[in-house]
């Protein structure tokens, strides 16, 4: 994972403490067992109960053969069961692979196959989709279902007796990989991100401090709980570290979330920019202004927040805005709670750690002058040195000396704050949901009427960006329509957010000069036709 000379420094400086996720929960349950850790509707789980549930589930999972080092794909909505499952796996040293509720058979099948998962934990029916239908895609992984299992293994049946807990083998060490997080990616197949207990918990502890979390903090989980932002910036793990309370929202729409903030006296929550705008507009339009007096901080991240919306958040919601620019690969930047408005409204923050190293470089990896836009490269105590089982991709995704190429174009201000100016990677950022152009193109190419395809971002007033598929039809094929193409993608089991929003038919792709155009140049040329 990390070269030994770096690991030594990160330990010496107190970043890596040797604490595992299991240690964290044990310590918190001992310190404030009776306090409520998780609120999921009527279900209110104390720290002691969470610890007990996780251990009994660990024993049950061990009983069906889940072992230290095994991978288990986890796809759960924002429910208390999520915490039981991940802390059970952490106790065993089995690695959760964090799928999103939006993922379908294409993604789940790939995650299970690529990680050789022994089990796939999901729910019964969520937002109208029957997740049990993913069983075939997940095979040979055992399907474990929270809720009505329909003949598969019922999660509820796996909570073993306390006696079995006592017989559990020793758990993992803190320098081992704890889980695999997803990358938004820019390649044909999604990449998986191995995070260790040591490195991740450092980012969690430091984030909790930056965000001033304490035992009185009440964090609303509006985004999917397994998203890296929600998990760790400071997210649900930051709250557990601080001894605070997590309130789970089943979905992030204003009608669900605003009453929950009022009823549970939520103090902090995290959203992507389109949600911030949606909440703002709902509050401004409400005849009866919802009581948001408890809300101290709204974190916004995942995609660039435009200045005009940033300026409306404080006055409109009566809370402090915090911009968060992070990535599941590691580096997370925050504006600080006591920063002046000029910084909070116009920058995407500065790194967590004094040992986060940033390089802003040009196309030849040469540093650009301070204040100029360049590619952001980073290395540090909680940034990965390579994707999981992706040796070839890692040769280009990282520099020879271990810096991660973020693919983001940024400007570093003299005061150390970053401004995100754009992106060099082949990705669409659809309101915080990342889409790899090549992955979608590969699916488009399976349609019999598609000769060639390129997927690019087009500007969108609400989401920031949407995706547009440029398609060159196969000669003689029946005319292509967007609904037909979208149906084809759905039938292939692709997550809905990756399915192109728009379709543009072209007789041929533009050719610049002689010879073959690179896919990158092609996407850039097509995107340019969409501006303005
Ligand atoms: P991922 O690597 O899939 O975790 O996605 C992280 C990427 O999301 C970053 O590299 C950025 O491209 C984008 N991102 C996250 N937060 C922000 C932000 N506050 N402003 C602009 N882009 C962001
Ligand atoms: O977009 C992200 O991946 C992201 C945004 C904010 C992230 O991973 C994070 C904070 O930790």
């Amino acid at each position: 994972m990390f070269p030994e000379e770096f690991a030594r420094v990160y330990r010496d400086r107190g970043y890596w403490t040797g604490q595992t996720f299991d240690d964290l929960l044990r310590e918190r349950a001992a310190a404030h067992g009776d306090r409520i850790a998780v609120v999921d509707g009527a279900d209110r789980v104390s720290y002691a109960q969470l610890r007990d549930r996780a251990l009994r589930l660990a024993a049950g999972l061990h009983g069906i053969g889940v072992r230290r080092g095994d991978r288990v794909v986890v796809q759960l909505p924002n429910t208390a069961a999520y915490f039981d499952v991940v802390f059970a796996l952490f106790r065993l040293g089995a690695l959760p692979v964090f799928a999103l509720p939006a993922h379908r058979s294409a993604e789940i099948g790939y995650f299970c196959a690529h990680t050789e998962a022994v089990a796939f934990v999901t729910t019964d029916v969520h937002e109208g989709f029957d997740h049990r239908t993913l069983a075939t895609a997940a095979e040979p992984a055992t399907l474990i279902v929270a809720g009505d299992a329909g003949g598969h293994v019922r999660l509820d049946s796996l909570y073993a007796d306390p006696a079995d807990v006592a017989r559990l083998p020793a758990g993992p060490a803190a320098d081992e990989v704890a889980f695999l997080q997803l990358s938004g990616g820019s390649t044909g197949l999604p990449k998986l991100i191995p995070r260790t207990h040591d490195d991740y918990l450092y980012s969690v502890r430091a984030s909790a401090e930056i965000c001033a979390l304490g035992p009185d903090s009440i964090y609303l989980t509006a985004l999917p709980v397994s998203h890296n932002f929600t998990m760790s910036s400071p997210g649900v793990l930051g709250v557990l570290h601080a001894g605070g309370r997590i309130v789970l929202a089943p979905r992030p729409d204003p009608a669900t979330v605003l009453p929950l903030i009022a009823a549970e006296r939520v103090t902090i929550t995290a959203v992507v920019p389109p949600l911030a705008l949606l909440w703002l507009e709902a509050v401004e339009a409400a005849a009866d202004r919802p009581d948001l007096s408890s809300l101290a901080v709204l974190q916004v991240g995942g995609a660039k927040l435009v200045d005009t919306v940033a300026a409306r958040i404080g006055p409109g919601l009566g809370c402090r805005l915090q911009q968060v620019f992070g990535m599941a690969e590691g580096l997370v930047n925050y504006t600080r709670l006591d920063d002046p408005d000029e910084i909070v409204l116009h920058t995407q923050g500065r790194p967590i750690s004094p040992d986060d190293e940033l390089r802003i470089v040009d196309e030849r990896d040469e540093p650009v002058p301070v204040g100029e836009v360049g590619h952001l490269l980073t290395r540090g105590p909680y940034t990965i040195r390579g994707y999981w089982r992706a040796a070839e991709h890692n040769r280009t995704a990282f520099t020879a000396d271990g810096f991660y190429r973020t693919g983001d174009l940024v400007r570093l201000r003299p005061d150390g704050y970053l401004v995100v100016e754009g992106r060099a990677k082949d990705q669409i950022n659809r309101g915080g949901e990342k889409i790899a152009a090549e992955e979608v193109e590969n699916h488009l190419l399976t349609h019999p009427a598609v000769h060639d395809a390129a997927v690019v971002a087009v500007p969108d007033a609400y989401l920031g960006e949407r995706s547009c598929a440029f398609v060159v039809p196969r000669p003689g094929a029946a005319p292509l329509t967007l609904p037909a193409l979208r149906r084809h993608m759905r039938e292939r089991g692709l997550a809905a957010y990756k399915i192109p929003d728009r379709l543009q038919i072209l007789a041929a792709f533009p050719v610049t000069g002689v010879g073959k155009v690179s896919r990158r140049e092609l996407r850039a040329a097509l995107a340019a036709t969409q501006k303005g």
Side-chain angles (χ1 to χ4, degrees):
M1 291 288 313
F2 290 83
E4 190 44 44
E5 67 268 30
F6 284 86
R8 197 174 319 116
V9 172
Y10 297 152
R11 284 195 189 95
D12 287 349
R13 300 207 172 148
Y15 304 146
W16 296 1
T17 62
Q19 185 189 41
T20 64
F21 290 104
D22 184 54
D23 294 334
L24 169 70
L25 187 57
R26 177 168 28 78
E27 290 162 18
R28 291 306 170 269
H32 23 228
D34 292 338
R35 294 174 58 94
I36 299 298
V38 179
V39 176
D40 172 8
D43 195 9
R44 299 176 93 81
V45 187
S46 72
Y47 277 84
Q49 286 168 326
L50 174 55
R51 168 85 177 145
D52 179 61
R53 280 159 62 153
L55 289 180
R56 286 170 43 221
L57 187 54
L61 288 166
H62 191 261
I64 61 165
V66 179
R67 294 290 180 269
R68 182 167 169 178
D70 285 348
R71 274 79 58 196
V72 174
V73 176
V74 177
Q75 184 192 41
L76 289 171
N78 293 356
T79 51
Y82 170 85
F83 294 91
D84 300 354
V85 170
V86 298
F87 278 100
L89 295 172
F90 289 152
R91 169 62 185 82
L92 291 173
L95 279 51
V97 182
F98 290 117
L100 293 169
H103 287 140
R104 295 293 177 260
S105 59
E107 290 90 7
I108 298 298
Y110 174 72
F111 298 147
C112 288
H114 180 51
T115 66
E116 301 167 272
V118 297
F120 168 47
V121 186
T122 190
T123 189
D124 46 14
V125 177
H126 176 65
E127 301 288 320
F129 179 74
D130 187 342
H131 286 257
R132 295 164 299 197
T133 61
L134 298 172
T136 322
E139 273 172 0
T142 302
L143 181 65
I144 301 172
V145 183
D148 176 358
H152 301 284
V153 178
R154 253 168 59 91
L155 183 68
D156 277 352
S157 72
L158 293 177
Y159 291 79
D161 291 336
D164 298 320
V165 173
R167 285 193 290 272
L168 278 172
D175 61 356
E176 291 176 27
V177 174
F179 59 83
L180 300 175
Q181 185 55 278
L182 298 186
S183 164
S186 56
T187 53
L189 292 168
K191 295 290 174 285
L192 297 175
I193 297 168
R195 301 290 300 260
T196 64
H197 299 259
D198 268 335
D199 88 73
Y200 207 66
L201 277 172
Y202 165 53
S203 79
V204 165
R205 282 189 298 266
S207 295
E209 190 178 328
I210 288 167
C211 301
L213 293 189
D216 296 331
S217 297
I218 303 180
Y219 176 91
L220 182 87
T221 307
L223 298 173
V225 61
S226 63
H227 190 288
N228 197 61
F229 188 5
T230 330
M231 248 175 81
S232 67
S233 301
V236 294
L237 292 173
V239 175
L240 295 180
H241 165 74
R245 180 179 298 181
I246 297 158
V247 175
L248 296 165
R251 64 190 73 77
D253 61 299
T256 304
V257 159
L258 299 177
L260 209 46
I261 293 175
E264 296 290 342
R265 306 295 297 159
V266 167
T267 62
I268 175 169
T269 184
V271 294
V272 289
L275 271 179
L277 186 58
L278 198 66
W279 291 10
L280 203 54
E281 291 183 341
V283 170
E284 287 169 355
D288 228 353
R289 209 188 133 90
D291 175 13
L292 303 181
S293 58
S294 60
L295 190 66
V297 179
L298 180 71
Q299 301 184 287
V300 183
K304 177 88 181 246
L305 178 65
V306 297
D307 291 11
T308 48
V309 178
R312 286 167 59 192
I313 288 171
L317 300 178
C319 64
R320 191 87 188 126
L321 164 67
Q322 179 180 53
Q323 295 213 39
V324 189
F325 162 41
M327 51 207 76
E329 286 82 355
L331 181 70
V332 181
N333 305 276
Y334 297 98
T335 59
R336 303 310 199 251
L337 299 181
D338 56 358
D339 277 340
D341 279 353
E342 188 276 318
I343 287 177
V344 174
L345 300 181
H346 304 297
T347 82
Q348 278 65 58
R350 63 180 164 87
I352 289 177
S353 177
D355 280 287
D356 279 322
E357 301 173 72
L358 306 182
R359 269 190 206 153
I360 323 284
V361 302
D362 63 17
E363 301 297 329
R364 299 184 322 282
D365 278 356
E366 298 294 337
V368 301
V370 173
E372 289 191 14
V373 178
H375 300 266
L376 173 63
L377 315 182
T378 186
R379 185 170 76 175
Y382 59 97
T383 295
I384 56 162
R385 295 303 188 105
Y387 291 101
W388 198 71
R389 295 191 181 171
E392 195 184 320
H393 178 66
N394 287 339
R395 278 191 279 280
T396 52
F398 296 82
T399 65
D401 54 354
F403 279 73
Y404 168 56
R405 298 182 187 276
T406 66
D408 293 313
L409 296 173
V410 305
R411 188 158 58 80
L412 180 62
R413 308 196 330 172
D415 61 6
Y417 282 77
L418 289 166
V419 179
V420 179
E421 298 284 3
R423 190 171 57 235
K425 52 192 167 190
D426 289 318
Q427 189 181 75
I428 296 108
N429 189 330
R430 193 178 184 279
E433 292 186 306
K434 320 301 190 301
I435 303 164
E438 189 182 332
E439 184 184 359
V440 180
E441 288 163 6
N442 288 342
H443 284 277
L444 285 168
L445 289 170
T446 64
H447 190 285
V450 173
H451 169 66
D452 205 352
V455 176
V456 303
V458 294
D460 181 83
Y462 172 56
L463 289 174
E465 297 176 5
R466 280 184 200 266
S467 64
C468 179
F470 288 84
V471 170
V472 178
R474 199 174 286 283
L480 268 171
T481 64
L482 182 60
L485 208 58
R486 291 178 59 91
R487 189 171 342 108
H488 176 74
M489 304 293 266
R490 263 198 307 278
E491 281 164 4
R492 290 186 60 78
L494 199 64
Y497 68 88
K498 296 181 187 172
I499 298 179
D501 297 296
R502 284 172 49 185
L503 170 66
Q504 291 262 357
I505 305 284
L506 298 177
F509 281 146
V511 184
T512 53
V514 271
K516 239 181 134 178
V517 251
S518 77
R519 299 218 47 98
R520 170 157 303 183
E521 286 169 40
L522 171 63
R523 292 188 189 107
L526 293 171
T529 67
Q530 298 299 303
K531 296 258 159 70

